[in-house]
Amino acid sequence: MSGGIIKVSRNTELAPINPLSTQSVAFSHYNNISAQLPIDPKTGHIVAGDIKQQAKQCLENIKAIVESIDHVMDDVVKIHVFVKNIDDLALIDEVYATFFPNLLPVRTVVAVNALPLGDALVQMDTLISNGEGTAPQEPCPLIKLSRNTDKAPVSALSTQTVAFSHYNNISAQLPLNPATGELVAGGIKEQTSQCLQNIKAVMESIDVPFDDIVKVGIYLKDLGDLPAVNEVYSTFFPDSAIARTVAYVPARTVAAVKDLPKQALVQIDVVVSHGDGTPPQEVEDRHGIVIRANNTEAAPLNPLHTQTVAFSHYNHIAAQLPLDPQSNQMVSGGVAEQAEQCLTNIKAIVESVNHVMDDIVKVNIQLKDIADLDAVNEVYTRFFNGELPARTVVGVSVIEQDALVQIDAVVSNGEGTPPQH
């Protein structure tokens, strides 16, 4: 384990236990919760009933995990909702609202092609605030800051931005005109621009510059639109003269999904560094904590993302395709060989910044064929010596370069990043 802060991995029998992931992995002031399927922990099977019963079970499982570590649902900062049918969202939301009567988290909703259990209609994962930190930090009564602005689309079921400690998560932004609440006119370029303008409006409303983004998630209905998306994306990053000087771009993950809310073509969410922290931390200069971006030639390079972006006590790894870093070509073989290459690339990145694979707190896996999960799992466990990270697995329609698998990760960063002097 790098640094002096301890990663705390915990399971409870009150929620389903998966031998290939840990339910809850806390580090510093955040806690990562593995994706929860609608499984009854007493039977180990999908609950009987319709989408509402399944959504309730996912949330009951999350609540059981959260409460097992002496937290409450109001501590949830961010939630991902993965549905099989986007038309089920209204019914899911009826249940969802009953679990968050006070402070709504930021939220990302996508329809995916498959979930790890064939009968599952929905899956959810979460990130929660962890004010007590992990040893040897002293408990700290940090305040979660939930904020909206009318300069970006407002939702009754999510908050635009939720800051806690030195991070700020922003809800997935659809290409909606904030004045009308409707999709903008035009095609994929116009929609991408509107998503990014909405993100920029949210950040400006809390006086945070665009280049404080450390990780971007792009969800596309048609992966063939990615070149057009990238054309627009490159006009937003880098944003400032300083970022252009060092060619800083955030870590990034692209997912081709089955459907998006409002029949949008694209949706984008971001994780933002928050140097001033949340009360009662002392307000510093916003750039008092340094974003540390790093690339290594031991893993595939991409001009549109940085391989690893560290800030404060976390480090975000860009999604890794099964590419040989020397040739930049897809490795030969099937899904096992591809999964091994993805994880080898992640390992190379992690080790290039003097960390180890057991410093990983969360892993996200995209599979072109969910039936390949068993083969991926056989490879996966060989990369970890200690307790496994929290994990989310989804099936998608297609992956860049026609890959069978793509993996990204979040890494604990015990040494933190330095303040500027």
Side-chain angles (χ1 to χ4, degrees):
M1 184 69 201
S2 302
I5 299 172
I6 297 170
K7 185 173 79 170
V8 179
S9 304
R10 290 172 284 191
N11 286 320
T12 173
E13 293 182 354
L14 298 175
I17 293 175
N18 185 334
L20 292 158
S21 66
T22 304
Q23 290 169 350
S24 162
V25 181
F27 184 80
S28 186
H29 288 133
Y30 279 93
N31 199 322
N32 297 266
I33 309 292
S34 283
Q36 294 301 301
L37 288 159
I39 296 173
D40 183 332
K42 295 178 182 177
T43 66
H45 298 299
I46 297 284
V47 292
D50 61 8
I51 184 64
K52 291 178 77 170
Q53 280 70 38
Q54 290 204 14
K56 182 179 180 184
Q57 188 65 56
C58 291
L59 289 159
E60 290 284 8
N61 291 342
I62 289 169
K63 188 178 181 191
I65 295 166
V66 167
E67 292 180 347
S68 75
I69 54 176
D70 298 321
H71 279 261
V72 296
M73 289 295 276
D74 275 347
D75 291 340
V76 174
V77 169
K78 182 176 187 176
I79 191 159
H80 288 98
V81 180
F82 303 97
V83 299
K84 290 280 288 293
N85 186 346
I86 202 71
D87 292 336
D88 284 337
L89 185 56
L91 294 172
I92 291 170
D93 286 345
E94 287 180 26
V95 177
Y96 183 89
T98 66
F99 281 80
F100 300 102
N102 298 313
L103 297 173
L104 288 164
V106 304
R107 192 171 81 152
T108 296
V109 177
V110 297
V112 293
N113 288 70
L115 293 170
L117 292 179
D119 294 332
L121 302 174
V122 60
Q123 174 180 257
M124 303 182 198
D125 70 15
T126 56
L127 178 71
I128 72 170
S129 58
N130 190 49
E132 65 272 27
T134 53
Q137 289 173 324
E138 294 290 332
C140 179
L142 299 177
I143 295 171
K144 188 171 77 169
L145 294 180
S146 303
R147 291 171 284 189
N148 285 322
T149 172
D150 59 9
K151 293 183 179 179
V154 176
S155 169
L157 288 158
S158 66
T159 305
Q160 289 168 351
T161 169
V162 177
F164 186 80
S165 185
H166 288 128
Y167 272 92
N168 199 325
N169 290 272
I170 294 183
S171 280
Q173 293 300 302
L174 289 162
L176 303 178
N177 181 323
T180 65
E182 301 297 327
L183 284 178
V184 294
I188 186 64
K189 288 186 178 181
E190 290 79 10
Q191 290 201 15
T192 302
S193 180
Q194 188 65 53
C195 291
L196 291 164
Q197 286 175 38
N198 289 343
I199 289 168
K200 197 164 192 177
V202 173
M203 293 179 65
E204 288 177 348
S205 75
I206 56 173
D207 196 27
V208 175
F210 207 64
D211 282 322
D212 281 1
I213 293 172
V214 296
K215 176 70 189 293
V216 175
I218 298 177
Y219 306 90
L220 284 171
K221 193 166 179 184
D222 182 352
L223 192 61
D225 284 337
L226 185 56
V229 169
N230 287 338
E231 188 178 331
V232 176
Y233 187 86
S234 298
T235 68
F236 282 80
F237 297 100
D239 183 57
S240 66
I242 294 173
R244 286 191 290 274
T245 299
V246 297
Y248 171 71
V249 286
R252 190 173 86 156
T253 294
V254 175
V257 296
K258 184 179 176 182
D259 274 311
L260 292 168
K262 306 274 191 183
Q263 298 184 313
L265 302 176
V266 60
Q267 177 178 254
I268 302 176
D269 64 17
V270 298
V271 181
V272 181
S273 61
H274 189 58
D276 40 349
T278 55
Q281 289 171 328
E282 290 187 14
V283 176
E284 310 168 38
D285 183 299
R286 178 174 296 106
H287 294 287
I289 298 177
V290 177
I291 292 175
R292 179 174 280 166
N294 191 73
N295 285 318
T296 173
E297 292 183 354
L301 297 168
N302 187 317
L304 289 164
H305 70 236
T306 303
Q307 291 169 349
T308 169
V309 180
F311 180 79
S312 186
H313 289 131
Y314 276 91
N315 199 325
H316 303 264
I317 309 294
Q320 294 301 301
L321 291 163
L323 301 177
D324 180 315
Q326 301 304 315
S327 66
N328 209 38
Q329 299 299 310
M330 193 74 60
V331 294
S332 58
V335 71
E337 290 78 11
Q338 290 198 16
E340 182 167 10
Q341 188 64 54
C342 291
L343 289 160
T344 297
N345 291 342
I346 289 172
K347 186 171 188 276
I349 294 166
V350 167
E351 291 179 350
S352 76
V353 290
N354 299 317
H355 279 261
V356 297
M357 288 293 279
D358 282 335
D359 289 345
I360 292 176
V361 295
K362 178 71 192 295
V363 170
N364 299 296
I365 300 175
Q366 295 177 34
L367 284 171
K368 190 173 178 183
D369 184 349
I370 204 73
D372 284 338
L373 183 55
D374 287 344
V376 170
N377 286 338
E378 288 182 20
V379 176
Y380 182 82
T381 54
R382 300 203 301 265
F383 281 79
F384 300 95
N385 296 314
E387 293 167 317
L388 291 167
R391 192 172 82 157
T392 296
V393 178
V394 297
V396 296
S397 56
V398 64
I399 299 172
E400 283 187 77
Q401 301 195 37
D402 206 27
L404 302 175
V405 60
Q406 178 177 254
I407 304 175
D408 69 21
V410 181
V411 183
S412 58
N413 191 46
E415 66 271 26
T417 54
Q420 290 179 339
H421 299 292

